[in-house]
Amino acid sequence: MKSICENILEMSAASKDCIKTEKFDLSDDRMDAVSDESNLGLFRKYVLKKGQQSKGKRVAEEMSESVRNQLRFSALNPQQFAYTSRPSTLLEKHLLPALESSAKLPISSGESKTAKPQLTIFYNGAINVYDNVSVDQAQAIFLLAGRATVSPPTVTETPKVDIAKPQKVDNTSSIGKLQTDLPLARTISLQHFLAKRRQRIMSKSPYPAPSSSSTRKDVDKEYAEMKQNRNNIVDLNEEKSFSKSPFPSQGFFFPIPANKRC
Amino acid sequence: MDERTTNPTHTTMSDTIFECVIPYITDPKDRDSVSLVCSRWYHLDALTRKHITIAFCYTCTPKQLLHRFSHIESVKLKGKPRAAMFNLIPEDWGGYVSSWVLEFSRSFVCLKSFHFRRMIVKDEDLVLLAKARGRTLQVLRLDKCSGFSTDGLLHITRSCRNIRTLYMEESTIVENSGEWLHELALHNTVLETLNFYMTELSEVSYHDLELIAKNCKSLVSVKISDCEVLDLVGFFGAVSALEEFGGGSFNDQPDKYKSVPVPPKLCILGLTYLGKHELPHVFPFASRIKKIDLLYALLDTEDHCLLIQRCPNLEVLETRNVIGDRGLGVLANSCKKLRRLRIERGADEQEMEDVEGVVTQRGLISLAEGCLELEYLAVYVTDITNESLECMGRHLKKLCDFRLVLLDQQENVADLPLDFGVQALLRGCHELRRFALYLRLGGLTDAGLGFIGQYSQNVRWMLLGYVGQSDAGLLALSRGCPKLQKLEMRGCSFSESAIASAALQLASLRYLWVQGYRRSQTSNALLAMARPFWNIELIPTRRDVHAGALGEPVETEQPAHILAYYSLAGQRTDFPDSVIPLSPVSSNA
């Protein structure tokens, strides 16, 4: 359902954008060679590909915050939303003959072939479906929702930036959003290392018994036991090889630096 | 024509002279210039070029490489975008070596050194390489690669008995056995570098390592996966020429490590899971240490200080931000020869790292004033000021590579935006070739981006994260940066048309990667940058499941990427479902 929505949203916007591209002031001579035909062909290819590829990849039930945001965004753009009641343009018909049949799909509905416009609202994990909602009613709801949202309607992926703000911006509220939208990435090797280290600290006493490692002696005794066990395992193999993982998940443990709060 | 007949020896003599001279010209940019002089020199360059780096494997086909440089002895190929190192690119994105290996094995008779970085290498490729090159293969680097197993490695080590460098750092390898190492132990006597650091290989016998140490007298660099250092006592005793060691781990009681012999020439270390109590064992030879990797060590700020002050000859340091401002102060005082410093990001949770483990402008200022030889600086900071950037611009005249990332930990960073600091840094560091600035909302204004454009005369690679305010900033940047070849942007709120305009305006741009931008419903605005030989690819927003901090599956939504690059090979055909190419000239319009 979501994939179909996306397609329709893109198609409607694309019909306008496509025209924009043709008028774009292309400075390079070579650009003139890129004809209208090829642009349209590209656009068709792009849209069809997008449709094929995103079909069926999203499951309606698994609604994440971001998906809800997407729909909120589309809700706040009555133009796209109103697509369902607008007949397809000549351009659209020319580009996508298949669009004719799917054009009637309402954007936010679970059913695909109904004639009564449905409005589906996803709110706080619950899905509400309303039948027979007129375009004006829907637009009114969208405007209300738009006023209610804190941030300006943007696509989820970009950081929620109000670019008209003065220079010394208060980053506090935005930072949380930055982190969820596009969190600072870490290298894979560091991720693994930090995960292993956390595992070690969290299961620092793999054996029950008096092993909260309060004293060094306890630790040593416990350690000697574990080492014994490890040696036993190793002897079973023909060759001496590296232990699989010297980490608590396999019953290993190594001295914790004294100052760590473990 | 007359000139030639009257002086017949003139041309041939200069050719001969040139043929003698040209092998000494090794810098690729110089070679480029040489090849443009005349066709004779072009052919001479083609015949005598020894090494080629193809910065992005889709820029040309193997056949094209063959026609241009048929006699190369060494090749380096890079595949996936750099973002793959941060888990941002789908695993099956592309970058397959297969077509290359096929051509390498068929033609390229002189080729004996292969370096594949961030590419997908299959066992079949390794088998083919082993069959085709056998005893002539000298260097094989599978650098952050994936797709192969120890079976493929076995073919290599079994057939290529003269291999000198076997490097697999950070590769994802399916482990079936430890036979590949055993083969190396049995047959090889010329091995110089063995590296499977940061791989998950565990079926590795230290008897084999010992044997390798005994047989290969030129063994200079060994970096292994996790293994108990105490088990390597025999190995350390046998490697007389060893200069570099990385990996291992410390699981036993600290005093037992006293008995581990230290190879006399050891000066490059990367000891994983090195803790406070094992640290004293490093002190006796600390004054020899030239390079040390503490990224995967378990040291706190105090430990860093204790170690660093004993390393006056330190040239390269890699560690996490647990080093803190205090550690940087000690570094500045003690390590005057420091050339490269990389400070990575530690854990986000306060409890996991030392409280002192933050780097701020204070540490940077002491660093700038103390380590004047610095050429490479990459640092994750918690706080930053314009003054510290100005200070770096004033002192670090040899800086070629500068990367600054502002972490999210501290909500209020008082001295933003960093416009004037960045300006001063760029104006001061004339040699800067690579520049990365990753800030946050309000970190750099459009004027700041303009400064970057104006003052990065020599910068070839740039990464910009969360900078700028509007499209005007990007356009201002693109009016400058005359030598910018590779641009990466993340989280900047530029529109597609601005991105397209910038791509058209940047004179030297040949590779563009963007994640996080103001998307339109289609990506048609991007087509504004369509032109011949310029490939545009999209990775649309997708759901990605990866392992979380505790190993649990975490699903995140990955925002869309744009990747655009010049290519002589046309649109690639091996893209997965997650990649959508937008070709400049549609073949089936």
Side-chain angles (χ1 to χ4, degrees), chain B residues 237-280:
Chain B
V239 269
S240 42
L242 198 71
E243 292 172 17
E244 174 172 23
F245 179 75
S249 60
F250 299 83
N251 306 328
D252 213 320
Q253 296 167 59
D255 36 303
K256 287 200 181 171
Y257 295 100
K258 235 184 281 183
S259 59
V260 177
V262 177
K265 293 194 189 163
L266 191 65
C267 59
I268 305 173
L269 282 185
L271 298 171
T272 45
Y273 315 121
L274 177 75
K276 178 186 269 315
H277 300 283
E278 297 81 32
L279 191 56

Coordinates of all heavy atoms in Angstrom, one line a residue, chain B residues 237-280:
Chain B
G237 N 59.3 -15.2 20.0 CA 60.7 -15.6 20.1 C 61.4 -15.9 18.8 O 62.6 -15.6 18.6
A238 N 60.6 -16.3 17.8 CA 61.2 -16.7 16.5 C 61.3 -15.5 15.5 O 62.1 -15.6 14.6 CB 60.3 -17.8 15.9
V239 N 60.4 -14.5 15.7 CA 60.5 -13.4 14.7 C 61.5 -12.4 15.0 O 61.4 -11.5 15.8 CB 59.1 -12.6 14.6 CG1 58.2 -13.2 13.6 CG2 58.5 -12.5 15.9
S240 N 62.7 -12.5 14.3 CA 63.8 -11.6 14.7 C 63.6 -10.3 14.0 O 64.1 -9.3 14.4 CB 65.1 -12.3 14.3 OG 64.9 -12.9 13.0
A241 N 63.0 -10.3 12.8 CA 63.0 -9.0 12.0 C 61.7 -8.2 12.2 O 61.5 -7.2 11.6 CB 63.2 -9.4 10.6
L242 N 60.8 -8.7 13.1 CA 59.5 -8.1 13.2 C 59.5 -6.7 13.6 O 60.1 -6.3 14.6 CB 58.6 -8.9 14.1 CG 57.1 -8.7 14.0 CD1 56.6 -9.3 12.7 CD2 56.3 -9.2 15.2
E243 N 58.9 -5.8 12.8 CA 58.8 -4.4 13.2 C 57.4 -4.0 13.6 O 57.2 -3.1 14.4 CB 59.2 -3.5 12.0 CG 60.7 -3.7 11.7 CD 61.0 -3.0 10.4 OE1 60.3 -2.1 9.9 OE2 62.1 -3.3 9.9
E244 N 56.4 -4.7 13.1 CA 55.0 -4.3 13.3 C 54.2 -5.5 13.8 O 54.2 -6.6 13.2 CB 54.4 -3.8 12.1 CG 52.9 -3.5 12.2 CD 52.3 -2.8 11.0 OE1 52.9 -2.9 9.9 OE2 51.3 -2.1 11.2
F245 N 53.5 -5.3 14.9 CA 52.6 -6.4 15.4 C 51.3 -5.7 15.8 O 51.2 -4.7 16.5 CB 53.2 -7.1 16.6 CG 52.2 -8.2 17.1 CD1 52.0 -9.4 16.4 CD2 51.5 -7.9 18.3 CE1 51.1 -10.3 16.9 CE2 50.5 -8.9 18.7 CZ 50.4 -10.1 18.0
G246 N 50.2 -6.4 15.4 CA 48.9 -5.9 15.8 C 47.9 -7.1 16.1 O 48.1 -8.2 15.5
G247 N 47.0 -6.9 17.0 CA 46.0 -7.9 17.3 C 46.3 -8.5 18.6 O 46.9 -7.9 19.5
G248 N 45.9 -9.8 18.8 CA 46.1 -10.4 20.0 C 45.1 -10.0 21.1 O 44.2 -9.2 20.8
S249 N 45.2 -10.5 22.2 CA 44.4 -10.0 23.3 C 45.0 -10.5 24.6 O 45.8 -11.4 24.7 CB 42.9 -10.4 23.2 OG 42.8 -11.8 23.2
F250 N 44.6 -9.9 25.7 CA 45.2 -10.1 27.0 C 44.1 -10.6 27.9 O 43.3 -9.9 28.5 CB 45.8 -8.8 27.6 CG 46.8 -8.3 26.7 CD1 46.5 -7.5 25.6 CD2 48.2 -8.6 27.0 CE1 47.5 -7.0 24.8 CE2 49.2 -8.1 26.1 CZ 48.9 -7.3 25.0
N251 N 44.1 -11.9 28.1 CA 43.0 -12.6 28.9 C 43.5 -13.1 30.2 O 42.7 -13.6 31.0 CB 42.4 -13.7 28.1 CG 41.9 -13.3 26.8 OD1 41.5 -12.1 26.6 ND2 42.0 -14.2 25.8
D252 N 44.8 -13.1 30.4 CA 45.4 -13.8 31.6 C 45.8 -12.8 32.6 O 45.6 -11.6 32.4 CB 46.5 -14.7 31.1 CG 46.6 -15.9 32.0 OD1 46.4 -15.8 33.2 OD2 46.9 -17.0 31.5
Q253 N 46.4 -13.3 33.7 CA 46.8 -12.4 34.7 C 48.0 -11.5 34.2 O 48.9 -12.0 33.6 CB 47.2 -13.2 35.9 CG 46.0 -13.9 36.5 CD 46.4 -14.9 37.5 OE1 47.0 -14.6 38.5 NE2 46.1 -16.2 37.3
P254 N 48.0 -10.3 34.5 CA 48.9 -9.3 34.0 C 50.4 -9.7 34.1 O 51.2 -9.5 33.2 CB 48.6 -8.0 34.7 CG 47.2 -8.2 35.2 CD 47.0 -9.6 35.4
D255 N 50.8 -10.2 35.3 CA 52.2 -10.5 35.5 C 52.8 -11.6 34.6 O 54.0 -11.7 34.4 CB 52.5 -10.7 37.0 CG 51.4 -11.5 37.6 OD1 50.3 -11.0 37.6 OD2 51.7 -12.6 38.2
K256 N 51.9 -12.4 34.1 CA 52.3 -13.4 33.2 C 52.9 -12.9 31.9 O 53.7 -13.6 31.2 CB 51.2 -14.4 32.9 CG 50.8 -15.3 34.0 CD 50.0 -16.5 33.6 CE 49.6 -17.3 34.8 NZ 48.7 -18.4 34.4
Y257 N 52.5 -11.7 31.5 CA 53.0 -11.1 30.3 C 54.4 -10.6 30.3 O 55.0 -10.3 29.3 CB 52.0 -10.0 29.8 CG 50.6 -10.6 29.5 CD1 49.6 -10.5 30.4 CD2 50.4 -11.3 28.3 CE1 48.4 -11.0 30.2 CE2 49.2 -11.8 28.0 CZ 48.2 -11.7 29.0 OH 46.9 -12.2 28.7
K258 N 55.0 -10.7 31.5 CA 56.4 -10.3 31.6 C 57.3 -11.2 30.8 O 58.3 -10.8 30.3 CB 56.8 -10.4 33.1 CG 57.4 -9.1 33.7 CD 57.8 -9.3 35.1 CE 56.7 -9.3 36.1 NZ 57.1 -9.4 37.5
S259 N 56.9 -12.4 30.7 CA 57.7 -13.4 30.0 C 57.6 -13.4 28.5 O 58.3 -14.1 27.8 CB 57.4 -14.8 30.5 OG 56.0 -15.0 30.2
V260 N 56.8 -12.6 27.9 CA 56.6 -12.6 26.5 C 57.8 -11.8 25.9 O 58.0 -10.7 26.2 CB 55.3 -11.9 26.1 CG1 55.2 -11.8 24.6 CG2 54.1 -12.6 26.6
P261 N 58.6 -12.5 25.0 CA 59.7 -11.8 24.5 C 59.3 -10.7 23.5 O 58.3 -10.8 22.8 CB 60.5 -12.9 23.7 CG 59.5 -14.0 23.5 CD 58.4 -13.9 24.5
V262 N 60.1 -9.7 23.5 CA 59.8 -8.5 22.6 C 60.8 -8.5 21.5 O 62.0 -8.4 21.7 CB 59.9 -7.2 23.4 CG1 59.6 -6.0 22.4 CG2 58.9 -7.2 24.5
P263 N 60.4 -8.7 20.2 CA 61.3 -8.6 19.1 C 62.1 -7.3 19.1 O 61.5 -6.3 19.4 CB 60.4 -8.7 17.9 CG 59.2 -9.3 18.4 CD 59.0 -8.9 19.8
P264 N 63.4 -7.4 18.8 CA 64.3 -6.3 19.0 C 63.9 -5.0 18.1 O 64.2 -3.9 18.5 CB 65.7 -6.8 18.7 CG 65.4 -8.0 17.9 CD 64.1 -8.6 18.3
K265 N 63.3 -5.3 17.0 CA 63.0 -4.2 16.1 C 61.6 -3.7 16.2 O 61.2 -2.8 15.4 CB 63.3 -4.5 14.7 CG 64.8 -4.8 14.4 CD 65.0 -4.8 12.9 CE 66.4 -5.3 12.6 NZ 66.6 -5.7 11.2
L266 N 60.8 -4.2 17.1 CA 59.4 -3.9 17.2 C 59.2 -2.5 17.5 O 59.6 -2.0 18.5 CB 58.7 -4.8 18.2 CG 57.2 -4.8 18.2 CD1 56.7 -5.4 17.0 CD2 56.7 -5.5 19.4
C267 N 58.5 -1.8 16.6 CA 58.3 -0.3 16.8 C 56.9 0.1 16.4 O 56.5 1.3 16.5 CB 59.3 0.5 16.1 SG 59.3 0.2 14.3
I268 N 56.1 -0.8 15.9 CA 54.7 -0.5 15.5 C 53.8 -1.5 16.2 O 53.9 -2.7 16.0 CB 54.6 -0.6 14.0 CG1 55.6 0.3 13.3 CG2 53.1 -0.1 13.6 CD1 55.6 0.2 11.8
L269 N 52.9 -0.9 17.0 CA 52.0 -1.8 17.8 C 50.6 -1.5 17.6 O 50.2 -0.3 17.5 CB 52.4 -1.6 19.2 CG 53.6 -2.2 19.9 CD1 53.6 -1.9 21.4 CD2 53.6 -3.7 19.7
G270 N 49.8 -2.5 17.7 CA 48.3 -2.3 17.8 C 47.8 -3.4 18.7 O 47.4 -4.4 18.2
L271 N 47.8 -3.2 20.0 CA 47.4 -4.2 20.9 C 46.0 -4.2 21.3 O 45.6 -3.3 22.0 CB 48.3 -4.2 22.1 CG 49.8 -4.4 21.8 CD1 50.7 -4.1 23.0 CD2 50.1 -5.8 21.3
T272 N 45.2 -5.1 20.8 CA 43.8 -5.1 21.1 C 43.5 -5.5 22.5 O 44.2 -6.5 23.0 CB 43.0 -6.0 20.1 OG1 43.7 -7.2 20.0 CG2 42.8 -5.3 18.8
Y273 N 42.6 -4.9 23.1 CA 42.2 -5.2 24.5 C 43.4 -5.1 25.5 O 43.4 -5.7 26.5 CB 41.6 -6.6 24.6 CG 40.6 -6.9 23.5 CD1 40.8 -7.9 22.6 CD2 39.5 -6.0 23.3 CE1 39.9 -8.1 21.6 CE2 38.6 -6.2 22.3 CZ 38.8 -7.3 21.4 OH 37.9 -7.5 20.4
L274 N 44.3 -4.3 25.2 CA 45.4 -4.0 26.1 C 44.8 -3.2 27.3 O 44.1 -2.1 27.0 CB 46.5 -3.1 25.4 CG 47.6 -2.7 26.3 CD1 48.5 -3.9 26.6 CD2 48.4 -1.6 25.7
G275 N 45.0 -3.6 28.5 CA 44.4 -2.9 29.6 C 45.4 -2.3 30.5 O 46.6 -2.3 30.2
K276 N 45.0 -1.6 31.5 CA 45.8 -0.8 32.4 C 46.9 -1.7 33.0 O 48.0 -1.3 33.2 CB 44.9 -0.3 33.5 CG 45.6 0.5 34.6 CD 44.6 0.8 35.7 CE 43.9 2.1 35.6 NZ 44.6 3.3 35.2
H277 N 46.6 -2.9 33.3 CA 47.6 -3.8 34.1 C 48.6 -4.4 33.2 O 49.7 -4.8 33.6 CB 46.8 -4.8 34.8 CG 45.9 -4.3 35.8 ND1 46.3 -3.7 37.0 CD2 44.5 -4.1 35.8 CE1 45.2 -3.2 37.7 NE2 44.1 -3.5 36.9
E278 N 48.3 -4.5 31.9 CA 49.3 -5.0 31.0 C 50.2 -3.9 30.4 O 51.2 -4.2 29.8 CB 48.6 -5.7 29.8 CG 47.8 -6.9 30.2 CD 46.4 -6.5 30.7 OE1 45.8 -5.5 30.2 OE2 45.9 -7.3 31.6
L279 N 49.7 -2.7 30.6 CA 50.4 -1.6 30.0 C 51.9 -1.5 30.4 O 52.8 -1.2 29.5 CB 49.7 -0.3 30.3 CG 50.1 1.0 29.6 CD1 50.0 0.8 28.1 CD2 49.2 2.1 30.1
P280 N 52.2 -1.7 31.7 CA 53.6 -1.5 32.1 C 54.6 -2.4 31.2 O 55.7 -2.1 31.1 CB 53.6 -2.0 33.5 CG 52.2 -1.7 34.0 CD 51.3 -1.9 32.8

